[in-house]
Amino acid sequence: MSSPSRILSEWRAVMPGARSLGHVEIVSSFPEEPITRASVLITTPLIIRGAEALGKMREWTPEFISERLGNREVPVSIADADGGFRYNLDAHEGLRYEQMRGSQLAAEFRRTATGRRLSMQQMSITGALPELCDDLTIPPYVPTAVISDVNLWMASGASNTPLHYDNMNNLFAQLDGRKKFLLFNPSQSELLYPGPLDIRTRHLSRVDVTAPDRQKFPKFEQAEYWEAVVMPGDLLFIPAFWWHQVSAPDVSVSVNYWWRADVRDCACPAFFRQLYMDLVMDDVRGLFRTHDLRALGSGSKAVLALAEQAIEHGEAGVAARLCGGVIVAAVKDACGQLGIVPDESIDDALAELEKHSAWSLEDRDLARQGLALAATAWPGRCVPVPDVRQMIERLRGSGLSWEHPARAGDGRR
């Protein structure tokens, strides 16, 4: 294993301009004191060593995985020639995959003569890999009430992921081999050039960390990062919305645990930016699957409370989009109750509700006004704060409300 100074110099060699803040803090066990809430901007990553919290999972090597999966085929992604797993953000092209028999995995991942690098990414253990469920352990540091996914990852040596963030808290368990992380605070999102606002790429950086283009991405040189190297048996906590780039110097087996962060702690550039996505307005209930909103209430009440918080952080446009999401959800609820199957257009759905006299004239007018206000909101555009505050209050007093329980475990998939 390289010494810390050697690891630091290696990363400086491939990160011209970016400044290292040093290594992530390492503890031998998790603090006994209860952890209080804190913004993702000030919550920091942490490596836990010697926690003895992984049980039989410590036996999960590539050979063990191959034996357990046997003849069943699983999807494996193929890296570029330099070992990078990349997305073409401009062409909306994702990773390349091929099906591979489980019994072949260890040999193929350890094969170095061909120069081909492979990765088995984000394979849900409970959903896609039932052969491993009996050995699955949930470390005591993971709040099971709001856990979302537990995934298996396996990577060839000399491979790396693109710089990206996840919108959930993450406990990353290293089982075999090593992994190296570069971690960037969410406050630096603007310096990291997020991808287009769509479901596939909004969480990916346009910057290739292994060879950054200084002319195309000049602000990246101002970025500061932390480093973490995890060994077998180590746990790495990555707070929601922390950007990270991961490389595997060795053949590596890992498991990660994602759980929903308290939405009150998620106020950061990436979170507000993704709330502008059309997907959020079309399905605002999805926020209950990715974030913990229990402290704000349930259904439309919780989303409107979140809209008020967005205004307090100077994000009136985000608040307007959330109001639009509340209205769209109310329209869909009303149509479902009446057995109406309108065309895809929300205008068509409103017209159908008017035909059935489903809402009062006041509520129909409010719905159209709220949707018009949401349509004006987009990053960089100014939306009048008084108009948004008034819309929130009018929606609270209207019939355009709905329930969606923000109960424990509601986000489990």
Side-chain angles (χ1 to χ4, degrees):
M1 174 183 174
S2 300
S3 67
S5 60
R6 176 59 179 158
I7 293 169
L8 183 59
S9 64
E10 286 173 357
W11 279 118
R12 281 179 176 161
V14 299
M15 293 276 292
R19 292 173 292 174
S20 172
L21 296 176
H23 291 80
V24 172
E25 181 182 358
I26 299 172
V27 298
S28 58
S29 62
F30 209 67
E32 295 182 1
E33 299 81 7
I35 300 175
T36 57
R37 285 184 42 245
S39 165
V40 295
L41 297 172
I42 61 173
T43 302
T44 59
L46 183 74
I47 294 176
I48 306 170
R49 288 198 173 138
E52 300 297 329
L54 298 176
K56 291 183 178 180
M57 291 168 55
R58 292 291 299 271
E59 302 173 6
W60 288 11
T61 62
E63 287 71 22
F64 180 92
I65 302 297
S66 282
E67 182 180 350
R68 282 293 180 93
L69 297 187
N71 290 325
R72 190 159 68 84
E73 291 190 336
V74 292
V76 173
S77 58
I78 314 300
D80 293 341
D82 64 353
F85 293 93
R86 294 185 180 88
Y87 294 79
N88 186 328
L89 302 191
D90 295 320
H92 297 275
E93 294 176 353
L95 300 175
R96 294 175 292 131
Y97 285 89
E98 68 177 46
Q99 293 295 118
M100 187 172 293
R101 191 174 300 164
S103 59
Q104 298 176 296
L105 290 173
E108 290 296 326
F109 274 68
R110 292 195 186 279
R111 193 187 307 275
T112 58
T114 63
R116 191 169 80 145
R117 281 94 164 195
L118 309 172
S119 178
M120 191 162 64
Q121 300 195 359
Q122 197 175 328
M123 292 286 290
S124 171
I125 293 175
T126 56
L129 301 173
E131 299 91 340
L132 301 176
C133 284
D134 288 346
D135 293 344
L136 180 62
T137 300
I138 308 296
Y141 323 121
V142 178
T144 55
V146 287
I147 197 169
S148 174
D149 285 310
V150 182
N151 303 296
L152 178 74
W153 306 74
M154 188 154 68
S156 296
S159 63
N160 59 83
T161 71
L163 180 61
H164 66 286
Y165 71 83
D166 301 305
N167 59 13
M168 296 189 187
N169 289 323
N170 184 3
L171 188 67
F172 186 92
Q174 188 62 17
L175 305 181
D176 194 56
R178 297 172 295 163
K179 281 226 170 147
K180 298 181 182 181
F181 289 76
L182 300 184
L183 299 138
F184 298 76
N185 190 290
S187 63
Q188 300 189 88
S189 287
E190 184 181 353
L191 308 179
L192 306 181
Y193 298 89
L197 268 179
D198 62 45
I199 185 60
R200 288 167 55 85
T201 61
R202 43 87 185 164
H203 68 301
L204 300 173
S205 169
R206 292 181 177 275
V207 180
D208 183 347
V209 171
T210 61
D213 187 331
R214 299 193 216 186
Q215 292 188 333
K216 193 173 182 180
F217 308 113
K219 290 186 290 187
F220 180 66
E221 292 198 1
Q222 303 172 39
E224 298 179 326
Y225 63 94
W226 286 5
E227 312 176 41
V229 178
V230 287
M231 308 291 291
D234 287 351
L235 300 169
L236 170 64
F237 169 61
I238 307 175
F241 295 101
W242 271 71
W243 292 81
H244 49 284
Q245 190 264 1
V246 191
S247 65
D250 317 312
V251 177
S252 171
V253 177
S254 318
V255 166
N256 90 292
Y257 307 81
W258 272 321
W259 70 92
R260 295 175 291 147
D262 191 314
V263 74
R264 296 172 295 173
D265 301 332
C266 293
C268 67
F271 176 57
F272 289 133
R273 183 175 182 268
Q274 73 180 32
L275 289 179
Y276 279 105
M277 293 169 59
D278 289 338
L279 176 71
V280 173
M281 197 166 93
D282 293 343
D283 180 22
V284 75
R285 295 173 190 259
L287 288 175
F288 293 88
R289 295 189 293 272
T290 56
H291 297 82
D292 184 1
L293 278 80
R294 289 175 296 171
L296 302 184
S298 64
S300 54
K301 176 183 177 182
V303 178
L304 293 175
L306 179 58
E308 282 190 327
Q309 290 194 7
I311 292 176
E312 296 303 319
H313 285 89
E315 296 286 351
V318 166
R321 296 288 286 184
L322 290 171
C323 287
V326 166
I327 294 167
V328 170
V331 169
K332 291 180 177 179
D333 264 12
C335 287
Q337 291 170 12
L338 294 172
I340 299 172
V341 183
D343 294 334
E344 293 185 2
S345 167
I346 194 68
D347 288 331
D348 292 334
L350 283 170
E352 287 293 327
L353 292 177
E354 290 177 4
K355 288 180 186 178
H356 288 76
S357 300
W359 285 346
S360 68
L361 179 61
E362 181 180 2
D363 283 347
R364 293 201 306 266
D365 289 344
L366 178 59
R368 293 192 180 279
Q369 292 167 19
L371 291 172
L373 180 64
T376 67
W378 199 248
R381 293 182 188 172
C382 182
V383 179
V385 172
D387 292 355
V388 183
R389 288 194 184 277
Q390 183 182 48
M391 179 56 61
I392 292 172
E393 290 307 313
R394 291 180 66 190
L395 285 171
R396 281 192 171 128
S398 74
L400 309 182
S401 62
W402 42 269
E403 285 298 318
H404 184 85
R407 62 182 182 274
D410 191 56
R412 186 184 293 271
R413 292 179 288 187

